[in-house]
């Protein structure tokens, strides 16, 4: 029961964090962009790419939120692990473009790793119930 509570709190925190961060990129991309870790940002019409990043994050957060609210815990675990690839992709992008190593590792890599750990814990939590075959209901004689 304790594992289930910890998993739920962690997953809810990811949902809220991802939604918050995505919304920040949509509403105020110029002030949020420097926290991403890249040394330079698009100027002029290129700022629209920052909003795209925000929309991506909001959608990722909503997918996790729907799975959490509907109780699809095993699917939530798998989706957390898949969505961690976005965080690792962000880390790789920051490092490949000579951005802040501290932000790449301390924000993006750490976020991705925590998502994978939470995903693994959710899959482990639901492993026994998913593996157990459903027993048929007794039929009246």
């Amino acid at each position: 029961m304790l594992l289930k509570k910890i998993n739920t709190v962690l997953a809810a925190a990811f949902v809220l964090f991802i939604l918050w961060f995505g919304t920040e990129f949509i509403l105020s991309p110029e002030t949020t962009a420097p926290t991403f870790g890249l040394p330079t940002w698009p100027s002029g019409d290129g700022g629209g790419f920052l909003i795209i990043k925000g929309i991506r994050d909001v959608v990722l957060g909503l997918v996790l939120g729907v799975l959490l609210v509907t109780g699809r815990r095993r699917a939530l675990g798998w989706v957390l692990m898949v969505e961690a690839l976005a965080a690792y992709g962000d880390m790789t992008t920051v490092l490949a473009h000579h951005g802040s190593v501290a932000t790449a590792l301390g924000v993006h890599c750490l976020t991705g790793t925590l998502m994978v750990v939470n995903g693994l814990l959710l899959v482990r939590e639901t492993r026994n119930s998913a593996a157990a075959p459903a027993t048929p209901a007794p039929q009246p004689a």
Side-chain angles (χ1 to χ4, degrees):
M1 191 64 165
L2 179 63
L3 180 60
K4 186 174 182 177
K5 286 182 182 182
I6 291 170
N7 287 339
T8 302
V9 169
L10 284 174
F14 279 118
V15 169
L16 295 174
F17 173 75
I18 294 168
L19 288 174
W20 171 75
F21 202 69
T23 303
E24 287 289 309
F25 262 93
I26 293 169
L27 298 177
S28 58
E30 300 83 16
T31 57
T32 307
T35 65
F36 189 77
L38 288 174
T40 59
W41 284 96
S43 59
D45 290 337
F49 285 102
L50 301 175
I51 296 172
I52 290 171
K53 187 248 186 281
I55 292 169
R56 176 199 77 174
D57 286 351
V58 167
V59 170
L60 292 174
L62 288 174
V63 168
L64 294 174
V66 167
L67 292 172
L68 180 62
V69 169
T70 59
R72 304 296 302 197
R73 297 179 71 78
R74 189 167 184 81
L76 175 62
W78 284 107
V79 172
L80 268 165
M81 289 186 278
V82 170
E83 285 190 9
L85 294 172
Y88 290 131
D90 291 347
M91 174 196 69
T92 303
T93 300
V94 170
L95 293 173
H97 289 88
H98 310 291
S100 167
V101 174
T103 302
L105 299 178
V107 174
H108 303 296
C109 183
L110 181 60
T111 299
T113 302
L114 290 173
M115 289 175 79
V116 167
V117 168
N118 191 197
L120 288 170
L121 288 172
L122 280 159
V123 169
R124 180 174 179 247
E125 168 199 316
T126 59
R127 179 182 58 208
N128 292 338
S129 62
T135 56
Q139 299 297 321

